Amino acid sequence: MKRFNFFSVTTIDEACGLLSSYGPDAAALAGGTDLLIEFRRPGAKVPKVLVDISRVNELGGISESDGHISIKPLTSHTQLLRSALLQKFAPLLNSAASSIGSPQVRNRGTVGGNIMNAAACADTVPPLIALGATVTLQSKTGSREMSLAELFVKPYQTRANLGELLTAVRFKKLPPDTRSAFIKLGRRNALAISRLSVAAILQTGKDGKIADARIVPGAAFPTWKRVTAAENMLIGEKPTPKLFAAAGQKVSEEMIKETGRRWSTEYKEPVIAVLVRRALEQCLLAQSEQSPSFNPVAMEAGGKGKSPSGSQSLTLNSFSGQECAISTTINGRSRTLTVPANCTLMDLLRDILGLPGTKCGCEVGECGACTVLLDGEAVNSCLVLAPQIHGRRVTTVEGLTLNGKLHPLQESFMDHDAAHCGFCTPGMLMSAKSLLDSNPHPAEREIRTAISGNLCRCTGYQQIVEAIENTSVPGRALRQSGK
Ligand SMILES: Cc1cc2nc3c(=O)[nH]c(=O)nc-3n(C[C@H](O)[C@H](O)[C@H](O)COP(=O)(O)OP(=O)(O)OC[C@H]3O[C@@H](n4cnc5c(N)ncnc54)[C@H](O)[C@@H]3O)c2cc1C
Ligand code: FES
Ligand code: FES
């Protein structure tokens, strides 16, 4: 990765000041799950200055006031999918968040980064546009608000000016008689970007007729928008399978009108029609589609910038430079280090600290071999910059053993023959540890979700799942694994 100057800030004012001073030479860094991959692309334009906003407390959290929900940009996808507030007032957003990447990507990736990266396949955008969201952009000189739909010029381009930071996303709560759904079609169930997606909202009146309808497809049009021609077909009508199929067909026609016929049209034309029909059908069910791992918890306040529990009690002052002095805790040991700003946590662990248990596979967040725990959450260490662990607690596979004794998970992996070549094993263990720490009795489907960001080319996963299922952690009753 090319060298850059790294600024870690703790207030919006500091961030806006730096972004404005350095103009085109600066970029904001939130979770880094888009940006760090872009930096590694051959020929990529890497900014001279990276402004790390991930410690800005005022940019985190989900709240409710005046009939509106406000989501701050550092809210991670994990926080979105677990939000009880969203489950009640905008459940299609929980569903969209739960479909993003893997647990590791969802723990780091933020809603603000998803919006500002403006990729055509960004999964939080269709639901937010269906919800009629507005965004607030703030700069050194003031702030302005616009509708989210207006923000986008084309894929990867927004109307944000240089020096502007996204500081809030806001929308009206859905009324109680409204149902919503988000459907995504990817090449597999995890770690798959949307080939197509649909966000839909339906409100039916007392007479059983549709009073309001909103349909926003993802990755279908040049930018996101509601397909009013299809929505108008629904309003005032009684919902029927035939009507929903016709609305799907209309969306398909509108898509072709705008994009013309291309290499992908043969596939997209019938598929978008079916997805729209299914999304509308799902809206009619009592509950819209939920994440299989959905588990709402009261964690609305505080986002990435929140001082994470278990972290060192450190004053997180701003710091900067191409080399950064940081204090951190690695495997229970406090360390003060000077790290190159462009060094990833994975490289720091392996090459500087001599902890090679963390493996390097893809370096783009897709294999999970580099998984470690950051304040107890599984993250891809190839997508975290070393300065970002300042004040945080890192646990690697080397930290699992205690006084030379293997962790019960490691014992169970051996008992169940869950490691063959062993390359994926450290990452698998760390994802499993993160799961069991928060959920000592996971169901098989929860185990499979927890390791969905970890690829294994040898075992076929079954033994790994059984090893996790049968790990003997204190106070935990074992299940019958069928083996
Ligand atoms: C393996 C993998 C799988 C993925 N799967 C999916 C998927 O299924 N669906 C999906 O939608 N995405 C997916 N992504 C993409 C990515 O995780 C998301 O887009 C994520 O939300 C980006 O957020 P971030 O905080 O990591 O952004 P960053 O990488 O930190 O930033 C992205 C861009 O937004 C800008 N930015 C960030 N915050 C602000 C702000 N507050 N104000 C102004 N600009 C800002 C940055 O300067 C940068 O240009 C995947 C990524 C990986 C690595
Ligand atoms: S996910 Fe980090 S090396 Fe593959
Ligand atoms: S055991 Fe070989 S990759 Fe999983």
Side-chain angles (χ1 to χ4, degrees):
M1 208 184 297
K2 284 188 195 149
R3 286 170 80 84
F4 45 76
N5 253 301
F6 184 90
F7 286 84
S8 176
V9 298
T10 53
T11 65
I12 294 178
D13 284 350
E14 269 182 288
C16 289
L18 284 163
L19 290 171
S20 144
S21 307
Y22 288 97
D25 291 331
L29 171 73
T33 58
D34 278 318
L35 216 48
L36 299 189
I37 290 174
E38 170 62 18
F39 289 177
R40 288 207 184 90
R41 204 174 45 79
K45 193 173 162 275
V46 177
K48 289 186 185 142
V49 167
L50 205 52
V51 182
D52 177 17
I53 57 173
S54 64
R55 292 169 197 281
V56 180
N57 282 331
E58 42 190 334
L59 289 180
I62 307 173
S63 58
E64 172 194 14
S65 70
D66 299 335
H68 285 75
I69 302 285
S70 170
I71 303 179
K72 293 295 173 69
L74 288 182
T75 306
S76 70
H77 299 304
T78 300
Q79 288 170 322
L80 287 182
L81 86 88
R82 289 184 179 167
S83 164
L85 208 50
L86 294 182
Q87 183 57 27
K88 196 165 171 200
F89 297 115
L92 73 172
L93 200 49
N94 301 78
S95 298
S98 74
S99 77
I100 289 178
S102 61
Q104 294 93 320
V105 170
R106 294 194 286 272
N107 285 339
R108 289 294 291 169
T110 64
V111 65
N114 200 229
I115 291 171
M116 296 308 283
N117 190 51
C121 56
D123 285 321
T124 61
V125 176
L128 284 169
I129 289 185
L131 288 161
T134 58
V135 289
T136 305
L137 296 171
Q138 192 167 328
S139 69
K140 209 178 152 189
T141 51
S143 68
R144 60 187 175 126
E145 198 173 307
M146 67 171 82
S147 79
L148 177 60
E150 271 176 330
L151 177 71
F152 302 107
V153 180
K154 59 180 184 180
Y156 300 107
Q157 195 182 337
T158 70
R159 293 199 163 78
N161 297 324
L162 281 176
E164 274 185 327
L165 204 60
L166 173 70
T167 52
V169 183
R170 198 163 180 268
F171 54 84
K172 258 196 192 150
K173 295 193 285 192
L174 285 178
D177 55 348
T178 309
R179 300 278 175 256
S180 69
F182 173 80
I183 296 190
K184 160 174 174 172
L185 189 73
R187 290 201 168 128
R188 49 189 174 166
N189 289 333
L191 285 168
I193 57 164
S194 289
R195 314 311 294 178
L196 283 169
S197 66
V198 175
I201 298 176
L202 272 191
Q203 189 178 16
T204 37
K206 287 204 175 88
D207 56 2
K209 290 185 178 166
I210 297 169
D212 189 17
R214 302 180 218 168
I215 302 172
V216 182
F221 290 84
T223 59
W224 300 272
K225 60 173 188 172
R226 288 174 56 177
V227 187
T228 45
E231 293 173 357
N232 291 339
M233 287 173 67
L234 299 171
I235 294 172
E237 301 293 330
K238 287 226 161 152
T240 63
K242 206 171 153 200
L243 182 66
F244 287 169
Q249 194 51 46
K250 190 71 180 172
V251 171
S252 184
E253 285 165 23
E254 294 293 307
M255 177 186 76
I256 294 168
K257 248 194 235 170
E258 275 207 32
T259 60
R261 290 201 164 265
R262 302 187 298 175
W263 64 271
S264 57
T265 309
E266 195 182 340
Y267 163 75
K268 286 192 168 182
E269 184 179 16
V271 173
I272 192 69
V274 171
L275 289 185
V276 170
R277 173 176 58 74
R278 287 187 187 164
L280 293 170
E281 282 167 359
Q282 265 193 30
C283 287
L284 282 196
L285 302 174
Q287 287 288 323
S288 64
E289 191 183 62
Q290 277 186 1
S291 137
S293 58
F294 176 68
N295 174 21
V297 289
M299 55 179 298
E300 318 297 351
K304 289 254 170 218
K306 195 178 74 160
S307 195
S309 61
S311 291
Q312 289 170 281
S313 67
L314 251 190
T315 312
L316 297 176
N317 292 325
S318 309
F319 58 89
S320 64
Q322 288 196 349
E323 303 252 303
C324 302
I326 61 165
S327 297
T328 181
T329 301
I330 297 177
N331 295 334
R333 185 176 151 202
S334 300
R335 302 216 184 211
T336 302
L337 304 162
T338 300
V339 295
N342 61 348
C343 173
T344 62
L345 172 58
M346 181 184 75
D347 291 338
L348 171 71
L349 293 169
R350 289 177 56 83
D351 302 340
I352 301 179
L353 299 179
L355 293 169
T358 300
K359 299 297 173 218
C360 171
C362 63
E363 293 190 89
V364 289
E366 289 195 347
C367 73
C370 67
T371 304
V372 300
L373 305 189
L374 190 59
D375 289 328
E377 281 190 332
V379 301
N380 297 309
S381 59
C382 67
L383 296 183
V384 178
L385 287 177
Q388 294 186 296
I389 65 165
H390 178 59
R392 305 229 147 129
R393 190 168 40 97
V394 178
T395 311
T396 71
V397 71
E398 288 90 348
L400 285 185
T401 48
L402 194 61
N403 300 326
K405 198 171 173 322
L406 290 181
H407 188 277
L409 267 167
Q410 292 169 304
E411 298 278 6
S412 189
F413 267 55
M414 291 202 305
D415 292 346
H416 289 82
D417 213 3
H420 290 190
C421 82
F423 191 78
C424 70
T425 310
M428 287 286 183
L429 287 166
M430 299 319 288
S431 290
K433 165 109 173 56
S434 167
L435 171 70
L436 294 189
D437 284 350
S438 61
N439 177 5
H441 301 285
E444 180 182 336
R445 133 183 97 67
E446 291 170 316
I447 294 173
R448 289 189 182 274
T449 301
I451 60 167
S452 60
N454 297 79
L455 299 184
C456 176
R457 64 186 176 176
C458 309
T459 64
Y461 301 95
Q462 191 55 33
Q463 296 102 311
I464 295 174
V465 172
E466 286 172 8
I468 299 169
E469 210 167 24
N470 288 288
T471 293
S472 151
V473 290
R476 177 180 181 213
L478 296 186
R479 286 173 212 280
Q480 292 301 313
S481 73
K483 196 176 174 183

